[in-house]
């Protein structure tokens, strides 16, 4: 029987804001047996952005870096549906949740049903009674400050809100604040502003009464003005709402910060619930900002632990941790946290499984390394090297890196006569296998060191080993996916399907990858996806549809108009070459007999008609793109301004550190 929802105490008038999903969320939460953040029951009900924001397991990642101790008094301001309230209560804290919307306060009451030490108050923060107004060890302000000056936010401005939360703290208390960055990388790249739904509006400036975000410098000063001058800054990616990684500021000071951050973050943006007009390869743009020393300033979101006492602030975050990461979309049974830690011995990777109630036999042939701690292997991984070569259109460089990777696999593969316990990644007819922990042995998990390649991130264990050919296809598919998601200018025709690209890359390293092998790999990956991921249907559809798509299909998506035009020009050149070849073929047929001529001319006319139709379509798309460029020419001015800013910073850094500076 489900526990009774908590009582809701009214402290003032309800505020008129909602995202329209409150009734649906109430039905989902009240029917769930497991209402913890990260519950598979709740995650399986996700169908759109509102349900994802309130139910996704990734919501828990935001507070991973923050120490919430048993018996802490926590004030959750603007608690929403109670995600952070529930997280803190499950850590043993006594939580007072203040929520302005009556509908959302009801969600908190149901999400936290049966929990002792949780109090749900409905009304504006300024109506908090004297008996509850101070003495909190932690005050959470997550996704709230941006609405403090908006009419539906019910507040009288950010300064007033920060003053109130500062007054609510105990002498050694802290405020934990999360908000988007007005100058975030995703906004620079053309993502719509999270509150107003339009690109670049934050960069241009907000109007009075609109939800408002601030830059790093602006927000730091606002906190200091409220008496919160001791500050610890962290950076969630892709943003604070559904983060998969959180970075400490100290990571940006590491000698290999560009590669290290790129490896941990990967794609710094997410297109799952927002369709941007991308103006660049986002990973390449992020790396450029990191190299210029601008990483913290263009992070998409901020997570700030602030207070009056520097020691109290320092105690709330692990001093040695540089990054926290959780792989997204997994079922609770398979969730793992990876922590990058700095010590006197160097960087260390610590991993721990997050599910306390695991069933040991649930995975069948698949197991997970329970707990591990190992040195973090510093250096570039092969995926980063391959992306660099792809961005340069260097086919020979891509082939060289892939051959190096294939040689590393060959050094560990062994021959077998039979398979005792076959599974999808080790079929009965397998003759060459890799060790059981080499299931995820793609180029992204090989680091280039002075002694050669080193395989890292050995999380998965496949009983009996992994078929070499299936492992090769899996690694190549991940590589192609990384290249396509980065929208690299590959040195092969844009009309090649993804399957053809994988087969071509296989040919570069001596692997014959045909349609049957690709089919067998998809069947194996299908089984893996069904075991590991929540709501696997989306991933499975992508897996089975992506093979027939090509880079030309990307051109119909809202990608960079500059790259789009470049692709279309290349395609025009290909079509012109086909037309020229067809004309030459027609001329050669004129020298043949009459029957052969008629047959050849018919074939040539058909090819000409097809090529002309494709060329006409390409020209129409090119004209559309040029018109689009005319409409958005002002963006180039932004790019030029950013470039000048970066060059100026580099010149100043060279003047301070000398020409051998690592900022080059």
């Amino acid at each position: 029987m489900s526990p009774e929802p908590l009582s809701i105490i009214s402290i003032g008038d309800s505020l008129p804001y909602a995202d329209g999903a409150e009734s649906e969320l109430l039905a989902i939460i009240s029917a769930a047996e497991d209402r913890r953040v990260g519950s598979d029951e709740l995650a399986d009900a996700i169908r759109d952005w509102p349900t994802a924001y309130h139910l996704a397991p990734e919501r828990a990642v935001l507070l991973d870096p923050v120490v919430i101790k048993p018996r802490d008094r926590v004030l959750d301001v603007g608690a929403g549906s109670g995600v952070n309230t529930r997280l803190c209560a499950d850590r043993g804290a006594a939580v007072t949740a203040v929520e302005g919307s009556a509908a959302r306060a009801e969600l908190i009451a149901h999400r936290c049903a049966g929990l002792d030490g949780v109090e749900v108050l409905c009304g504006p923060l300024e109506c908090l009674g004297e008996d509850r107004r101070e003495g909190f060890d932690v005050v959470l302000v997550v996704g709230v400050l941006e609405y403090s000056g908006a009419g539906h936010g019910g507040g009288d401005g950010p300064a007033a809100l920060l003053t109130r939360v500062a007054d609510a703290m105990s002498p050694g208390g802290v405020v934990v604040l999360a908000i988007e960055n007005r100058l975030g990388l995703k906004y620079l790249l053309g993502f719509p502003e999270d509150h107003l739904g339009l690109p670049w509006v934050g960069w241009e400036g907000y109007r009075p009464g609109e939800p408002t975000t601030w830059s790093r410098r602006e927000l730091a000063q606002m906190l200091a003005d409220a008496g919160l001058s001791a500050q610890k800054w962290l950076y969630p990616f892709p943003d604070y709402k559904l983060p998969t990684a959180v970075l400490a500021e100290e990571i940006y000071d590491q000698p290999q910060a560009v590669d290290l951050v790129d490896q941990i973050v990967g794609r710094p943006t997410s297109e799952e619930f927002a369709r941007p007009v991308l103006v660049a390869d986002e990973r390449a743009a992020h790396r450029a900002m990191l190299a210029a020393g601008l990483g913290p300033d263009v992070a998409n979101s901020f997570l700030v632990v602030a207070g009056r006492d520097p020691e109290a602030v320092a105690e709330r975050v692990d001093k040695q941790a540089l990054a926290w990461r959780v792989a997204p979309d997994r079922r609770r049974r398979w969730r793992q946290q990876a922590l990058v830690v700095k010590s006197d011995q160097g960087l260390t990777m610590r991993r721990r499984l997050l599910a306390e109630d695991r069933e040991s036999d649930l995975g069948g042939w698949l197991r997970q390394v329970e707990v591990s701690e190992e040195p973090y292997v510093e250096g570039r991984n092969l995926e980063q090297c391959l992306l660099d070569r792809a961005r340069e259109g260097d086919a020979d460089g891509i082939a060289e890196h892939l051959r190096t990777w294939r040689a590393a696999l060959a050094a560990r593969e062994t021959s077998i006569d039979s398979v005792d316990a076959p599974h999808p990644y080790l079929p009965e007819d397998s003759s060459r296998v890799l060790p059981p922990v080499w299931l995820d042995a793609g180029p992204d998990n090989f680091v280039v060191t002075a002694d050669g390649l080193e395989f890292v991130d050995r999380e998965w264990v496949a009983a009996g080993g992994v078929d070499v050919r299936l492992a090769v296809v899996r690694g190549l598919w991940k590589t192609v996916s990384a290249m396509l998601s980065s929208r690299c200018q590959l040195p092969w025709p844009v009309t090649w399907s993804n399957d053809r690209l994988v087969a071509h890359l296989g040919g570069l390293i001596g692997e014959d990858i045909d349609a049957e092998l690709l089919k067998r790999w998809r069947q194996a990956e299908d089984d893996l996806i069904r075991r590991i991921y929540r709501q696997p249907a989306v991933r499975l559809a992508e897996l089975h549809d992506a093979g027939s798509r090509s880079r030309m299909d990307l051109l119909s998506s809202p990608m960079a108009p500059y790259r789009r035009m470049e692709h279309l020009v290349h395609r025009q050149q290909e079509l012109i070459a086909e037309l020229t070849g067809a004309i030459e073929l027609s001329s050669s047929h004129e020298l043949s007999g009459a029957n052969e001529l008629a047959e050849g001319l018919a074939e040539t006319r058909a090819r000409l008609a097809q090529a002309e139709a494709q060329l006409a379509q390409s020209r129409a798309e090119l004209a559309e793109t040029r018109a689009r460029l005319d409409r958005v020419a002002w963006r180039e001015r932004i790019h030029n301004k950013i470039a000048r800013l970066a060059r100026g910073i580099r010149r100043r850094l060279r003047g301070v550190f000398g020409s051998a500076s690592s900022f080059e």
Side-chain angles (χ1 to χ4, degrees):
M1 184 175 179
S2 298
E4 288 295 319
L6 301 177
S7 299
I8 301 173
I9 302 171
S10 176
I11 60 172
D13 294 335
S14 176
L15 298 178
Y17 62 84
D19 56 24
E22 283 77 9
S23 296
E24 180 184 7
L25 288 165
L26 181 61
I28 293 168
I29 292 173
S30 60
E33 291 293 324
D34 184 358
R35 303 180 189 183
R36 294 172 296 175
V37 181
S39 156
D40 286 338
E41 275 187 273
L42 297 181
D44 285 342
I46 294 171
R47 63 173 183 82
D48 54 14
W49 167 245
T51 51
Y53 177 67
H54 293 285
L55 303 176
E58 288 75 27
R59 287 293 305 273
V61 178
L62 181 70
L63 293 186
D64 277 353
V66 182
V67 176
I68 304 291
K69 297 173 288 188
R71 294 181 294 282
D72 269 343
R73 287 195 64 207
V74 176
L75 175 64
D76 190 0
V77 178
S81 65
V83 172
N84 296 317
T85 299
R86 178 75 200 227
L87 280 169
C88 293
D90 284 340
R91 295 188 192 182
V95 188
T96 297
V98 178
E99 172 51 45
S101 162
R104 292 193 175 186
E106 191 174 2
L107 294 177
I108 304 170
H110 281 80
R111 191 191 287 266
C112 298
L115 295 183
D116 295 330
V118 176
E119 184 179 45
V120 184
L121 310 181
C122 182
L125 179 64
E126 54 265 31
C127 294
L128 198 64
E130 292 287 345
D131 56 330
R132 298 187 178 95
R133 195 167 288 176
E134 57 187 21
F136 291 98
D137 302 299
V138 178
V139 182
L140 302 178
V141 186
V142 176
V144 173
L145 187 65
E146 55 266 47
Y147 296 103
S148 58
H152 62 280
D156 49 4
L161 175 59
L162 291 176
T163 297
R164 288 192 183 96
V165 300
D167 290 344
M169 297 185 324
S170 65
V174 298
V175 171
V176 177
L177 183 147
I179 192 171
E180 302 89 348
N181 177 10
R182 173 187 173 184
L183 304 182
L185 180 69
K186 71 175 186 178
Y187 292 158
L188 174 61
L189 295 177
F191 275 75
E193 203 273 349
D194 285 17
H195 311 94
L196 303 176
L198 297 171
W200 295 289
V201 292
W203 281 73
E204 293 174 340
Y206 296 96
R207 297 172 181 173
E210 289 181 339
T212 301
T213 60
W214 297 272
S215 69
R216 186 188 188 286
R217 178 178 292 184
E218 291 169 331
L219 187 58
Q221 187 60 54
M222 290 164 59
L223 289 166
D225 290 344
L228 306 173
S229 56
Q231 300 169 12
K232 169 72 173 178
W233 286 72
L234 303 109
Y235 306 92
F237 282 91
D239 59 26
Y240 82 86
K241 296 180 179 70
L242 299 181
T244 57
V246 181
L247 307 182
E249 186 151 18
E250 291 77 9
I251 198 170
Y252 293 101
D253 298 326
Q254 297 303 300
Q256 298 187 28
V258 176
D259 291 329
L260 181 59
V261 171
D262 184 43
Q263 288 167 7
I264 294 169
V265 171
R267 292 187 65 187
T269 63
S270 171
E271 297 181 25
E272 188 174 3
F273 298 106
R275 301 298 294 170
V277 180
L278 286 174
V279 296
D281 168 352
E282 59 260 58
R283 282 187 71 171
H286 193 207
R287 290 179 64 90
M289 291 295 185
L290 293 169
L294 297 173
D297 294 290
V298 299
N300 296 321
S301 291
F302 304 130
L303 173 64
V304 191
V305 181
R308 301 184 181 93
D309 181 357
E311 291 185 6
V313 170
E315 289 174 358
R316 289 291 173 177
V317 182
D318 186 339
K319 300 177 182 63
Q320 292 184 312
L322 296 179
W324 297 256
R325 195 182 196 290
V326 175
D329 298 332
R330 291 186 185 179
R331 292 194 173 277
R332 186 177 182 87
R333 183 252 188 270
W334 300 106
R335 281 184 207 129
Q336 179 198 72
Q337 182 194 70
L339 188 65
V340 180
V341 177
K342 183 181 180 182
S343 66
D344 294 338
Q345 289 72 42
L347 299 186
T348 299
M349 175 70 80
R350 297 176 186 168
R351 295 186 178 87
R352 68 181 183 91
L353 304 181
L354 298 179
E356 305 86 2
D357 48 356
R358 296 164 54 87
E359 299 176 32
S360 59
D361 61 343
L362 187 62
W365 62 271
L366 183 67
R367 291 191 300 105
Q368 215 172 0
V369 175
E370 293 288 330
V371 178
S372 67
E373 181 170 337
E374 58 189 2
Y376 189 96
V377 181
E378 297 186 60
R380 310 202 73 201
N381 64 36
L382 267 184
E383 180 182 271
Q384 292 173 316
C385 297
L386 285 162
L387 287 174
D388 277 352
R389 300 290 80 75
R391 289 171 181 131
E392 296 166 2
D394 182 0
D396 292 338
I398 291 172
E400 181 181 352
H401 286 313
L402 289 176
R403 291 189 191 104
T404 303
W405 167 66
R406 184 63 185 90
L409 299 185
R412 295 303 304 269
E413 68 181 65
T414 57
S415 299
I416 58 172
D417 297 325
S418 62
V419 176
D420 295 332
H423 57 73
Y425 265 102
L426 188 64
E428 291 182 350
D429 60 352
S430 296
S431 59
R432 294 177 296 148
V433 300
L434 291 169
V437 294
W438 282 51
L439 174 63
D440 202 13
D444 58 324
N445 284 332
F446 281 88
V447 177
V448 181
T449 71
D451 299 323
L453 294 184
E454 185 167 345
F455 179 41
V456 298
D457 198 12
R458 306 183 186 200
E459 177 184 0
W460 302 107
V461 181
V466 183
D467 183 274
V468 173
R469 299 195 70 199
L470 294 178
V472 168
V473 174
R474 189 168 196 265
L476 292 177
W477 185 267
K478 289 177 68 178
T479 299
V480 167
S481 297
M483 291 176 175
L484 296 179
S485 66
S486 294
R487 293 167 170 83
C488 293
Q489 177 64 37
L490 300 180
W492 300 290
V494 295
T495 53
W496 279 16
S497 69
N498 298 341
D499 279 350
R500 183 171 180 181
L501 277 173
V502 170
H504 180 75
L505 294 181
L508 297 179
I509 57 177
E511 292 286 347
D512 181 15
I513 299 176
D514 56 17
E516 179 59 29
L517 181 57
L518 283 166
K519 178 181 177 181
R520 296 183 71 178
W521 168 72
R522 281 194 176 85
Q523 290 171 343
E525 192 70 8
D526 186 302
D527 186 273
L528 192 67
I529 288 172
R530 291 181 187 278
R531 290 173 185 273
I532 296 174
Y533 294 101
R534 60 177 172 84
Q535 293 189 324
V538 175
R539 283 179 175 263
L540 291 173
E542 176 66 20
L543 175 68
H544 291 280
D545 294 343
S548 60
R549 295 203 297 266
S550 71
R551 281 184 293 148
M552 278 296 290
D553 295 308
L554 284 176
L555 300 183
S556 62
S557 68
M559 65 178 294
Y562 312 102
R563 288 296 186 198
R564 176 181 171 82
M565 188 165 70
E566 185 178 0
H567 277 292
L568 290 172
V569 169
H570 283 303
R571 181 56 183 149
Q572 278 196 330
Q573 292 171 345
E574 292 174 10
L575 291 171
I576 290 170
E578 290 180 18
L579 283 170
T580 303
I583 293 170
E584 291 175 352
L585 178 62
S586 175
S587 299
S588 67
H589 278 305
E590 291 178 1
L591 302 176
S592 305
N595 292 337
E596 292 181 3
L597 178 61
E599 182 180 345
L601 284 174
E603 178 185 351
T604 300
R605 287 192 184 101
R607 290 183 59 191
L608 277 170
Q610 181 180 11
E612 286 173 346
Q614 291 177 330
L615 184 58
Q617 180 181 358
S618 181
R619 281 175 172 158
E621 291 179 347
L622 184 58
E624 177 189 349
T625 301
R626 282 176 173 151
R628 186 176 171 193
L629 278 172
D630 290 338
R631 292 195 300 270
V632 298
W634 56 272
R635 296 176 194 167
E636 187 173 351
R637 292 196 294 272
I638 293 178
H639 285 291
N640 292 339
K641 186 173 291 186
I642 296 294
R644 287 195 298 271
L645 175 63
R647 286 195 295 270
I649 290 174
R650 284 180 174 172
R651 283 195 297 270
R652 289 195 293 273
L653 289 173
R654 281 197 295 267
V656 174
F657 296 96
S659 59
S661 168
S662 61
F663 293 92
E664 290 293 316

